[in-house]
Amino acid sequence: MQFGVFSVGDVTANPTTGTTVSEGERIKAMVAIALKAEEVGLDVFAQGEHHNPPFVPSSPTTQLAYVAARTSKIVLSTSTTLITTNDPVKIAEDYAMLQHLADGRVDLMMGRGNTGPVYPWFGQDIRNGIALAVENYALLRRLWREDVVDWEGKFRTPLQGFTATPRPLDDVPPFVWHGSIRSPEIAEQAAYYGDGFFHNNIFWPISHTKQMIDLYRRRFEHYGHGAADQAIVGLGGQIFMRKNSQDAVREFRPYFDNAPVYGHGPSLEDFSRETPLTVGSPQEVIERTLSFREHFGDYQRQLFLIDHAGLPLKTVLEQLDILGEEVVPVLRKEFAALKPAHVPDAPTHASLKAAAERARDLETIKEPTR
């Protein structure tokens, strides 16, 4: 199972000091978090894509390429790549380039985002959101898998004899997760292609998340990719830890109360009860995270949000130390002991490359009998 962190890249005032970091400082802080994540032994660093204040990560490939040059093991992912407003041709080329620079340590999470105004900024209509996600991704898959593409659709100009460059590393496209919190059509899309489904359940109760994941698992099996419990599932989560839970609650409360996304709404206690937000001791985070399996089954990727709401970089790096030293080693051991042998691990470039080579070898063996 993969464990990691994701960042939405918000620039938010620290409610305890009243200070706000600059955009440049926030961008460099995200790099520092990624480097620290590898240092403490996490598997994944993921970042979002936003094109509006107060967020800074408008160009994920630029930042992830910089991180790739300074790391050697950690998988670099997006926590959203906007499949609706980005040109699929540009996505195909940008992430294939990143694949080569990172020696394959790249995957993507496709999403529609949660900012309505982004659609007209990039010449699209939000009312076409689902249709754009379906058409653009279908084209993206062909661009990565076919050397020459002839294509015509509804939302962009046709392609004739087009080749996206560079080609994917080892002719193996990056693995794709489809991220959605509310759209069954996206769960269906992930199941249809046999891709991963990531439910970023940071704002949602267990009942809703379970409904979406169960739908994806049923449809994954329906399309013949394997049994329902073999579907590739990822989850989000929010945590804040200190040695004593009372200290964690006291320290985190002002950040929660003033956060742009949920401040001045439900209390910290109510939000913690209704969503995966866990503020407490490392043991409480371990127990809460292990409980996800009881509701959602065996899953492949767990990402934590730890750097939002104006938390200072020093505090975030302390959270990473706790994750790497006290939390993730226990979670790895416990989840591994519970996982049945037939449930796959999260796909990586190495595993996808090996599968492609086996498929080619099998095809070669069959060829003389045709």
Side-chain angles (χ1 to χ4, degrees), residues 8 14 22 50 81-82 96 103-104 110 113-114 162 172 217 222 251 256 266 270 292 301 341 347 349:
V8 295
N14 183 327
S22 68
H50 294 276
T81 294
L82 298 178
D103 296 322
M110 299 296 176
N114 58 8
F162 180 78
V172 177
R217 289 189 184 279
H222 168 79
E251 185 176 347
F256 177 89
D270 287 345
F292 295 165
R301 175 175 283 187
H349 182 77

Side-chain angles (χ1 to χ4, degrees), residues 65-82:
Y66 182 75
V67 173
R70 300 185 61 185
T71 56
S72 60
K73 296 179 181 179
I74 197 163
V75 173
L76 305 174
S77 183
T78 56
S79 51
T80 305
T81 294
L82 298 178

Side-chain angles (χ1 to χ4, degrees), residues 58-360:
S58 58
S59 180
T61 51
T62 304
Q63 185 154 358
L64 292 177
Y66 182 75
V67 173
R70 300 185 61 185
T71 56
S72 60
K73 296 179 181 179
I74 197 163
V75 173
L76 305 174
S77 183
T78 56
S79 51
T80 305
T81 294
L82 298 178
I83 188 62
T84 47
T85 51
N86 281 308
D87 183 353
V89 171
K90 197 72 171 74
I91 294 176
E93 296 187 335
D94 282 353
Y95 285 91
M97 176 74 80
L98 179 59
Q99 235 196 346
H100 285 272
L101 291 172
D103 296 322
R105 295 181 290 123
V106 174
D107 58 36
L108 295 83
M109 189 187 304
M110 299 296 176
R112 292 183 294 131
N114 58 8
T115 307
V118 74
Y119 284 82
W121 294 342
F122 289 88
Q124 300 295 349
D125 186 332
I126 193 172
R127 292 170 294 185
N128 297 326
I130 293 292
L132 279 162
V134 171
E135 179 177 297
N136 284 353
Y137 183 61
L139 173 56
L140 176 62
R141 284 182 64 87
R142 290 190 59 191
L143 291 167
W144 273 336
R145 288 165 173 81
E146 300 175 26
D147 289 338
V148 180
V149 173
D150 294 313
W151 178 89
E152 185 171 352
K154 181 178 179 181
F155 298 111
R156 78 174 314 282
T157 53
L159 297 173
Q160 294 182 346
F162 180 78
T163 299
T165 58
R167 306 304 298 144
L169 178 66
D170 301 317
D171 291 323
V172 177
F175 185 73
V176 169
W177 303 79
H178 298 261
S180 179
I181 56 176
R182 61 188 179 275
S183 302
E185 297 92 340
I186 301 304
E188 177 78 16
Q189 183 182 41
Y192 176 78
Y193 290 111
D195 294 336
F197 180 65
F198 190 94
H199 196 280
N200 192 11
N201 53 326
I202 59 176
F203 300 124
W204 293 83
I206 285 173
S207 57
H208 173 81
T209 304
K210 177 175 171 54
Q211 184 179 22
M212 291 288 286
I213 290 174
D214 285 351
L215 169 63
Y216 162 67
R217 289 189 184 279
R218 289 195 306 272
R219 300 303 289 171
F220 182 96
E221 182 172 295
H222 168 79
Y223 288 116
H225 301 298
D229 64 353
Q230 295 177 304
I232 308 300
V233 174
L235 293 174
Q238 297 160 285
I239 57 174
F240 187 85
M241 298 172 290
R242 289 302 183 200
K243 182 178 180 180
N244 299 312
S245 59
Q246 298 91 335
D247 292 337
V249 171
R250 182 171 56 252
E251 185 176 347
F252 187 67
R253 189 181 298 279
Y255 296 96
F256 177 89
D257 288 346
N258 294 280
V261 291
Y262 45 46
H264 313 290
S267 69
L268 174 59
E269 288 74 16
D270 287 345
F271 202 85
S272 298
R273 184 172 54 253
E274 296 297 327
T275 78
L277 173 64
T278 307
V279 180
S281 67
Q283 186 59 37
E284 286 175 305
V285 169
I286 290 169
E287 292 173 1
R288 187 76 179 280
T289 305
L290 287 172
S291 74
F292 295 165
R293 181 181 179 274
E294 300 170 11
H295 302 287
F296 313 124
D298 292 287
Y299 62 108
Q300 284 75 18
R301 175 175 283 187
Q302 175 68 59
L303 300 183
F304 297 107
L305 176 62
I306 61 170
D307 73 329
H308 61 133
L311 285 163
L313 177 60
K314 177 178 180 293
T315 301
V316 175
L317 298 181
E318 292 168 353
Q319 296 294 299
L320 283 165
D321 278 327
I322 299 171
L323 260 182
E325 294 170 8
E326 302 182 46
V327 175
V328 167
V330 178
L331 290 176
R332 285 195 200 282
K333 181 179 178 181
E334 295 295 329
F335 275 114
L338 294 167
K339 184 173 78 72
H342 71 279
V343 173
D345 293 327
T348 62
H349 182 77
S351 69
L352 294 171
K353 179 182 176 182
E357 290 172 348
R358 288 194 298 271
R360 285 194 291 268

